[in-house]
Amino acid sequence: DIDGQLRVRLEATHGNPTAFDLDARLDRLLVEGRLVQDVLLRGDFDPADARHPLDGIGIDIIEGTVAQGIVRGDFRFDFDGTGYELDLQVHDADLAGISRDLNEPGPLPGPLPGRLSARVALEGIMDEPASRIGRGRLLVEDARLADGGSLALLQLGQLMPPIADELATAKVNLWINGGEALLENVTLESETLIMAGDGRLRLDDWQWSLRLLPKGTLPGLSDLVPRVS
């Protein structure tokens, strides 16, 4: 789903592309059910090299906003439509907006306080989810993890005791391999409680398993929150 203006130039010799230029200004772009607005794209021909055995197209996201936050990045895909790479950064996006998939039927979820910043690098073969490999880093700030029983991606609120209302920051490292992401160095932190651990996330349905232990607390809180798993 795209609204905007595109200027594309493509040259080929004997059916093989030799030049490509893209200049696009898009009012709106729907990506995985998320609305990206005010997008400026620049693209050019990216010839084969030691890392990329096939000629391809490189595209930079010069400007863009998603859920009131800033999005930047770049991606490359082979001309034959097989391999791809992407590096995407999101800064200070509204957590409620990021958690909403506009393609899903039914009412949208209610407000979910918090701000999301993230960076994800991913590569693989088009239409082959098992080929995906990548890494990422997520940071959620100003979040009430128990609000609405959800923390968007991790949905931690439903597991946390009442003290979860005080948790304000969540951090996690992602290691993506096929249809699964390893969650490492997961940290949930507030002024009174720190919990840390790791887990796994299934990417097809966002089902996860997570084990957290108290890392630093005020006296007495470790007895109230011995373990979350």
Side-chain angles (χ1 to χ4, degrees), residues 84 122-125 127-134 174-183 199-209:
Y84 69 89
L122 189 66
E123 62 183 80
I125 299 174
D127 300 321
E128 293 188 18
S131 71
R132 293 179 298 203
I133 57 173
L174 304 175
W175 297 94
I176 301 168
N177 186 1
E180 186 177 65
L182 299 179
L183 309 178
R200 296 175 181 269
L201 172 69
R202 258 193 345 237
L203 299 179
D204 57 346
D205 57 7
W206 298 102
Q207 294 296 308
W208 54 270
S209 60

Side-chain angles (χ1 to χ4, degrees), residues 52-187:
H52 305 106
L54 299 176
D55 292 338
I57 293 173
I59 297 178
D60 294 326
I61 304 174
I62 307 299
E63 298 177 5
T65 62
V66 59
Q68 304 173 33
I70 298 171
V71 58
R72 300 287 187 272
D74 58 78
F75 56 96
R76 183 194 192 276
F77 58 90
D78 298 334
F79 266 119
D80 68 354
T82 55
Y84 69 89
E85 297 178 2
L86 68 85
D87 190 329
L88 192 65
Q89 304 97 45
V90 175
H91 177 67
D92 201 32
D94 176 60
L95 185 59
I98 289 290
S99 69
R100 294 170 180 164
D101 186 342
L102 300 181
N103 291 323
E104 290 295 323
L108 296 175
L112 184 65
R115 310 297 299 178
L116 173 70
S117 296
R119 179 165 187 171
V120 177
L122 189 66
E123 62 183 80
I125 299 174
M126 293 287 189
D127 300 321
E128 293 188 18
S131 71
R132 293 179 298 203
I133 57 173
R135 64 190 185 279
R137 174 72 170 166
L138 304 182
L139 170 66
V140 178
E141 299 177 288
D142 302 325
R144 289 180 56 210
L145 305 190
D147 186 36
S150 174
L151 178 60
L153 296 180
L154 299 182
Q155 294 184 341
L156 295 172
Q158 59 187 325
L159 300 181
M160 301 295 289
I163 193 68
D165 285 330
E166 299 182 9
L167 292 172
T169 302
K171 302 176 183 177
V172 59
N173 290 331
L174 304 175
W175 297 94
I176 301 168
N177 186 1
E180 186 177 65
L182 299 179
L183 309 178
E184 293 186 346
N185 301 320
V186 180
T187 303

